[in-house]
Amino acid sequence: MTKAYFILILTSFVVAGCGTTQVKRGNLGKVIEPQESRLILSTKNIVSVGDVMLRAGEYSKEGIKLETETFNLKDSQTTSVKHKQHTFIFSIPSGEYLLYSQNNEGSYYASEQPFSGLKGTKDGYGGLFVPNGSPSATEFYWNWNKAPNVLFAHQAMLLTPINGSIGKTSSALKNKNASIPSATLTYAGVASAQVRFVYKEFTADGYARPAFTQEVSLDYKPGGTYAYKSALFKVYKADSTSINFEIINPLY
């Protein structure tokens, strides 16, 4: 073998080695939004005549929640991946990974914490990929910069699959205008075997809307359940001074 031919073969191996990579461009598919669900409230109250019983939006934080599927990782892991002349090493944190997106092959779960870079690797922002029908994450994905609504990322195989459990987490749906109710229901006492209320609607600035003020009289029955607008409540006792009631559904 001539010296020139040997050098040519060696050069070919070096070039091939420089170009190899275990990283692919991952298409994260369709972003999955949290699912909205409504809680059934059971809140007991006692208010006096002339006091507000229900305020629209008052129970929106407790009454509506957003549910997100999670992939739960018990222990942190370390993984590495080769890309050309670089080896990236990450610490995969334990905790809840929130369902971010799905494609035909599986689901992407995002970490709220960064993947800490080890041995000179920068921190990455991403999560784990779980194939359809699998109990384990087989790949991880990341971007070097944290950004919302990402649809593409670097993706690579984990050194070993990571077992986890599928669960759900929930968060309250916050009402930005909860400080100013759009409507109220006020207790107005008992008369002629009827329990009385006053319903008022308000403008965005908090002013009452006269055309939307109504007096409501309903047959009084201790322990009865009453519905008005979106509200549903059970009245245990009502008299000329106060009302003892339980909120089942709030006023929206």
Side-chain angles (χ1 to χ4, degrees):
M1 181 181 295
T2 65
K3 183 177 181 180
Y5 186 63
F6 177 78
I7 293 174
L8 178 62
I9 294 176
L10 181 61
T11 303
S12 298
F13 276 111
V14 171
V15 171
C18 291
T20 59
T21 181
Q22 297 172 321
V23 179
K24 65 181 181 181
R25 186 171 186 259
N27 183 343
L28 307 188
K30 180 182 178 182
V31 174
I32 305 299
E33 299 293 339
Q35 298 298 306
E36 182 178 316
S37 62
R38 194 174 298 278
L39 291 172
I40 300 299
L41 300 178
S42 182
T43 306
K44 294 183 178 180
N45 298 272
I46 298 177
V47 301
S48 300
V49 171
D51 288 344
V52 173
M53 294 174 55
L54 295 162
R55 292 180 175 84
E58 182 178 17
Y59 293 93
S60 62
K61 183 177 179 181
E62 296 84 1
I64 302 175
K65 64 179 180 178
L66 300 177
E67 287 189 338
T68 305
E69 186 178 300
T70 60
F71 183 78
N72 304 310
L73 195 60
K74 184 177 180 181
D75 301 310
S76 60
Q77 309 280 337
T78 299
T79 193
S80 65
V81 60
K82 293 181 179 179
H83 177 61
K84 297 182 179 179
Q85 294 179 313
H86 302 282
T87 298
F88 302 126
I89 305 175
F90 294 105
S91 175
I92 307 295
S94 60
E96 283 186 337
Y97 287 64
L98 304 180
L99 178 63
Y100 176 71
S101 63
Q102 293 177 327
N103 61 20
N104 293 332
E105 298 177 350
S107 302
Y108 290 84
Y109 295 86
S111 171
E112 294 185 314
Q113 306 175 55
F115 288 176
S116 299
L118 307 176
K119 296 183 179 180
T121 301
K122 296 190 301 181
D123 289 352
Y125 301 89
L128 299 171
F129 173 74
V130 179
N132 292 329
S134 173
S136 304
T138 58
E139 300 178 61
F140 70 106
Y141 69 96
W142 81 97
N143 280 297
W144 296 117
N145 298 309
K146 188 174 184 179
N149 303 321
V150 173
L151 296 179
F152 296 93
H154 306 297
Q155 187 169 338
M157 297 293 295
L158 291 160
L159 291 178
T160 57
I162 298 177
N163 294 327
S165 60
I166 300 297
K168 284 187 177 182
T169 187
S170 61
S171 59
L173 181 63
K174 296 180 180 180
N175 186 346
K176 296 180 180 178
N177 298 319
S179 59
I180 301 177
S182 58
T184 61
L185 190 67
T186 300
Y187 180 53
V190 174
S192 302
Q194 289 190 318
V195 61
R196 300 168 57 230
F197 311 96
V198 176
Y199 173 79
K200 290 184 178 181
E201 291 188 4
F202 299 87
T203 66
D205 297 322
Y207 296 105
R209 302 170 67 186
F212 294 90
T213 297
Q214 299 175 342
E215 293 187 5
V216 183
S217 296
L218 302 172
D219 291 338
Y220 175 51
K221 181 180 179 181
T225 299
Y226 297 83
Y228 184 74
K229 301 289 185 179
S230 61
L232 184 67
F233 52 94
K234 183 176 182 178
V235 175
Y236 291 99
K237 181 181 179 182
D239 55 32
S240 59
T241 60
S242 64
I243 184 172
N244 184 337
F245 68 103
E246 180 180 359
I247 300 170
I248 301 173
N249 280 331
L251 182 67
Y252 297 113

